[in-house]
Amino acid sequence: MQSKESVRGIERAGAFARPAADDAARRAGRPGHGPPQLQPRCSPPPPSRWPPPASQEPRRPTGLEKVTAAVVAAANAQPGDRVIDLGCGTGQVSLPLAERGARVLAIDGNQAVLARLESVAHERSLARLEVLARPVDCLVLPSQSADLIVTSYALHRLRDADKKRLVTAAYQWLRPGGTLIVADMMFGRGGTSRDRAIIRSKVRALARKGIGGWWRIAKNSYRYLVRVAERPVSISAWTAMFARAGFTGITASSIVAEAGLVSGRRAA
């Protein structure tokens, strides 16, 4: 009878011993019976590049950038044109028009933003861009002094009477054949399907932002209902103002969200 020690020895030997045939097959084709050669492994596939990193994704233009692009395209300013930008702010419209060779008078009641605009214009060597610090609701300019008057998101804060007065005055400031372009938030008080769709979309967008969004809904609703600070009017109201002032060839279009654009020409 075999001892336990001898049984364990046999088991250990069996665990590590190779049959002769297997050992011969292992050494076949390898002179000198060297160590077994490693088989090349397939390289792992390169990491996926889709979707591309955020830094490589094309940036979508903001709503304000779309409005600015629409105004600049509608203006179609030519070198030497005399342009007035009402409520110019930091020059989103004034700068590209000046870069096209137009002579731009940028008007705003905020001297701080005009100082920044002057600095940028100097850096870009835009000597044809001038600034004037005046509130647009009490502005007086020479008659027939401009080929083009533009304004972007500056007039919705004016009272309706001041909007009408400014459109009428702009007609007088334009030379015959000149153009007025107004881009702004354009919606009324819920009387049309477009008005209601804009109001619903704005409420939903703010509601998704949580408590802060609901606070803005309450604040903006108060301003909208009592017409304090925010006094937008509909596209149809703007076209009516243009018509009463004497403009012809009036066009109106929506740009994005609540933004609309109205243009008209003074007869040549």
Side-chain angles (χ1 to χ4, degrees):
M1 185 174 179
Q2 293 180 331
S3 66
K4 292 181 179 181
E5 288 76 6
S6 62
V7 171
R8 293 193 184 99
I10 293 171
E11 290 174 349
R12 285 195 297 270
F16 291 99
R18 289 189 178 90
D22 292 347
D23 193 54
R26 181 179 59 85
R27 294 195 301 268
R30 290 198 291 273
H33 310 297
Q37 297 180 353
L38 298 175
Q39 297 296 321
R41 296 182 179 179
C42 296
S43 300
S48 172
R49 300 294 291 174
W50 186 261
S55 60
Q56 297 181 8
E57 292 181 356
R59 188 179 69 84
R60 296 181 179 179
T62 65
L64 183 58
E65 288 172 340
K66 292 179 180 179
V67 173
T68 298
V71 174
V72 172
N76 192 29
Q78 303 299 312
D81 282 352
R82 298 183 65 89
V83 180
I84 297 172
D85 185 1
L86 301 173
C88 63
T90 54
Q92 291 92 344
V93 174
S94 294
L95 290 169
L97 295 183
E99 288 172 342
R100 294 187 177 196
R103 300 179 61 183
V104 179
L105 177 61
I107 302 174
D108 201 285
N110 188 325
Q111 293 187 352
V113 298
L114 289 180
R116 291 200 294 271
L117 175 54
E118 278 190 304
S119 177
V120 174
H122 178 73
E123 291 173 0
R124 300 185 186 181
S125 300
L126 297 175
R128 289 176 173 267
L129 192 154
E130 301 178 5
V131 303
L132 176 64
R134 292 285 190 282
V136 297
D137 57 348
C138 56
L139 186 64
V140 177
L141 294 173
S143 177
Q144 300 188 17
S145 58
D147 301 297
L148 173 68
I149 299 176
V150 298
T151 178
S152 180
Y153 263 67
L155 305 187
H156 62 274
R157 298 180 181 276
L158 299 184
R159 294 178 177 85
D160 292 354
D162 291 331
K163 294 184 183 73
K164 296 175 184 177
R165 187 202 65 80
L166 188 60
V167 170
T168 300
Y171 185 89
Q172 301 300 323
W173 299 334
L174 285 169
R175 294 172 175 172
T179 301
L180 171 63
I181 298 173
V182 175
D184 216 311
M185 61 170 68
M186 295 185 180
F187 64 97
R189 305 181 64 77
T192 67
S193 59
R194 181 179 182 272
D195 291 347
R196 292 189 291 273
I198 290 172
I199 294 169
R200 282 195 300 269
S201 66
K202 292 176 74 69
V203 170
R204 289 170 182 168
L206 290 174
R208 286 195 292 267
K209 297 181 179 181
I211 295 176
W214 283 104
W215 163 244
R216 289 186 61 187
I217 289 172
K219 181 179 66 173
N220 292 344
S221 296
Y222 172 77
R223 289 179 173 179
Y224 176 70
L225 292 172
V226 302
R227 295 177 68 78
V228 175
E230 304 283 339
R231 304 181 182 94
V233 295
S234 65
I235 287 182
S236 61
W238 278 108
T239 57
M241 282 187 270
F242 273 57
R244 282 194 294 268
F247 286 97
T248 61
I250 300 169
T251 63
S253 60
S254 297
I255 305 172
V256 60
E258 78 280 2
L261 185 148
V262 177
S263 68
R265 182 177 296 273
R266 176 172 176 169

